[in-house]
Amino acid sequence: MGDDRADRIAEFIEPLRVEPGSKVRLAEDFDPGFRAGIRKKKDGVELLRSGIEQLADYQRRLAAQDTYGVLLCLQALDAGGKDGTIRHVMSGVNPQGVRVVGFKVPSNEELDHDYLWRYSRNLPGRGEIGIFNRSHYEEVLVVRVHADHLRRQKLPDTARGPDVWERRYREINDWERYLTDNGFRIVKIFLNLSKEEQRSRFLKRIDVPERNWKFSSADVRERAYWDDYQRAFSQMLSATSTPWAPWYVVPADHKWFARVCAAAVLVHTLMVIDPQYPQVSDESRRELAQVREELEAEAPAGAAPDPYAEGEKRNNAKNKKTKTRKTKTARAKTARAKTAKTKNKKAPS
């Protein structure tokens, strides 16, 4: 059953995956309005709920095993839905096991180091899920679109030559390979928003008073560089989608569908890791049994020796009755349908 579920999720996210080595033309290859045949939002909400439940289960196991870490890199243009995706997809997980880091304009201290330094400092530990709200890919996106950003990085002339972007692609790929080899899985999601949907969301931020605080005129000015960003994203996706850290281009015009996709990609990564709870030794089991006996002996008069075990026993009995009742109801419904079908056949024409 678990393998079937993993296969279904893999099949669902496959159209979003950028095949390593392929040449991406973002506008031609990926539709921001794609919904994979899911027509109704309510169906998407149910899928998201299921994904959140699976994510919570895998996160507990990831933390208990304490061997692997997961880094989720979210990239999008302004109003692409990064914050909402994080808020909804991670709503069911333990906050202690998740850390979200947003990267703004580099500080003077950060500019005094190599361009990957500030990202390395914020990587998740083993057993954790880290989320980069904008990531090290800003260094080949906004820094590429705006040449003055590159000049502010205090690079020597030899590091600012025409091959700077190809070199950075290689360095990022090598860095991600290093992290993967050491047990840290990289999940890279680009929320692909159409220009018209971005315009609509900007207007909503202006029209709805409660959203005015989210509006920035600088975001609107960036629309003038739309084509430049599309080229930069296309080149980035082509050069940095690797077998160890592939990119997933998630359609973002429908927020609910984007969240379903993001949850599916993250859950699939955790399914591949398949973290397990640590095995308890025979000695530890004997110790647990001894402690249980001592705690049960402390139960006051009239109280169950083990309240949890008693509760589980009642719940199992209740679930068994419910399952039996549903089975009988389904059988009766099937029998009535067969009877009605037989009568219809016998009825004179």
Side-chain angles (χ1 to χ4, degrees):
M1 178 64 179
D3 289 342
D4 290 344
R5 188 172 61 182
D7 289 343
R8 289 198 302 271
I9 293 176
E11 183 179 355
F12 176 75
I13 65 175
E14 182 58 30
L16 316 177
R17 184 174 180 269
V18 176
E19 183 65 26
S22 64
K23 184 175 179 60
V24 175
R25 298 175 182 82
L26 194 56
E28 300 174 17
D29 298 334
F30 295 96
D31 177 11
F34 178 68
R35 288 186 293 179
I38 304 175
R39 296 183 177 276
K40 297 181 180 179
K41 180 179 178 178
K42 67 177 183 179
D43 296 330
V45 170
E46 180 59 28
L47 286 172
L48 179 60
R49 184 194 63 77
S50 175
I52 290 170
E53 289 177 357
Q54 294 177 58
L55 185 57
D57 175 49
Y58 277 104
Q59 185 218 11
R60 288 191 291 269
R61 291 198 259 162
L62 184 77
Q65 189 183 58
D66 198 29
T67 301
Y68 293 93
V70 175
L71 173 63
L72 171 60
C73 301
L74 277 179
Q75 288 294 148
L77 289 171
D78 298 310
K82 298 184 302 298
D83 293 342
T85 297
I86 295 170
R87 187 170 61 252
H88 284 80
V89 172
M90 309 306 292
S91 61
V93 303
N94 184 344
Q96 289 184 318
V98 177
R99 190 156 62 99
V100 181
V101 184
F103 294 97
K104 305 294 184 182
V105 176
S107 66
N108 288 331
E109 181 187 16
E110 290 167 341
L111 289 172
D112 278 336
H113 293 81
D114 65 272
Y115 71 92
L116 288 175
W117 180 76
R118 64 173 181 161
Y119 306 104
S120 298
R121 297 177 71 208
N122 288 284
L123 289 170
R126 300 190 191 279
E128 294 180 337
I129 297 175
I131 302 175
F132 282 0
N133 186 346
R134 297 187 186 276
S135 69
H136 46 291
Y137 283 97
E138 291 291 283
E139 306 298 333
V140 292
L141 292 170
V142 65
V143 177
R144 184 168 191 174
V145 171
H146 296 285
D148 56 314
H149 287 42
L150 185 64
R151 285 193 293 271
R152 283 202 296 268
Q153 292 188 349
K154 306 179 182 179
L155 298 170
D157 291 341
T158 54
R160 287 191 280 115
D163 66 337
V164 60
W165 308 118
E166 292 302 321
R167 190 181 71 247
R168 286 196 172 189
Y169 293 147
R170 185 186 70 249
E171 291 165 350
I172 288 172
N173 288 341
D174 289 344
W175 185 59
E176 292 177 351
R177 181 63 181 264
Y178 163 78
L179 292 173
T180 302
D181 288 346
N182 281 274
F184 295 91
R185 297 293 182 259
I186 317 295
V187 182
K188 302 186 300 196
I189 293 177
F190 169 53
L191 298 173
N192 186 26
L193 187 71
S194 69
K195 192 173 185 180
E196 174 56 22
E197 179 61 21
Q198 186 193 57
R199 185 182 75 90
S200 176
R201 292 182 187 181
F202 280 161
L203 285 169
K204 188 173 183 179
R205 291 180 179 182
I206 296 172
D207 294 339
V208 180
E210 292 80 11
R211 292 176 178 262
N212 287 169
W213 67 273
K214 298 182 74 174
F215 179 77
S216 168
S217 57
D219 293 344
V220 177
R221 287 197 295 272
E222 284 294 281
R223 279 173 64 82
Y225 300 95
W226 181 272
D227 291 340
D228 295 330
Y229 274 111
Q230 295 298 298
R231 282 191 293 273
F233 274 116
S234 295
Q235 292 166 352
M236 175 202 74
L237 293 168
S238 302
T240 61
S241 190
T242 60
W244 55 90
W247 272 103
Y248 290 88
V249 179
V250 168
D253 276 8
H254 303 283
K255 292 180 180 179
W256 59 268
F257 185 71
R259 292 161 186 168
V260 170
C261 293
V265 171
L266 187 53
V267 167
H268 182 260
T269 299
L270 288 165
M271 281 182 162
V272 172
I273 295 174
D274 193 24
Q276 301 295 319
Y277 290 109
Q279 293 294 316
V280 179
S281 67
D282 292 340
E283 182 181 351
S284 295
R285 289 187 185 281
R286 287 192 293 272
E287 183 180 353
L288 289 173
Q290 181 180 343
V291 172
R292 175 197 275 168
E293 289 180 4
E294 294 173 359
L295 291 172
E296 288 179 343
E298 294 177 10
D306 187 340
Y308 176 78
E310 287 295 318
E312 285 294 288
K313 186 177 179 181
R314 288 194 299 270
N315 286 337
N316 288 338
K318 183 178 178 181
N319 291 337
K320 186 176 181 180
K321 287 182 180 179
T322 302
K323 186 176 180 180
T324 301
R325 186 172 65 251
K326 288 182 177 179
T327 301
K328 289 181 178 179
T329 301
R331 286 175 178 172
K333 186 176 180 181
T334 301
R336 287 195 299 270
K338 286 183 178 179
T339 302
K341 188 175 181 180
T342 302
K343 287 183 179 179
N344 288 337
K345 285 184 177 179
K346 291 180 178 180
S349 56

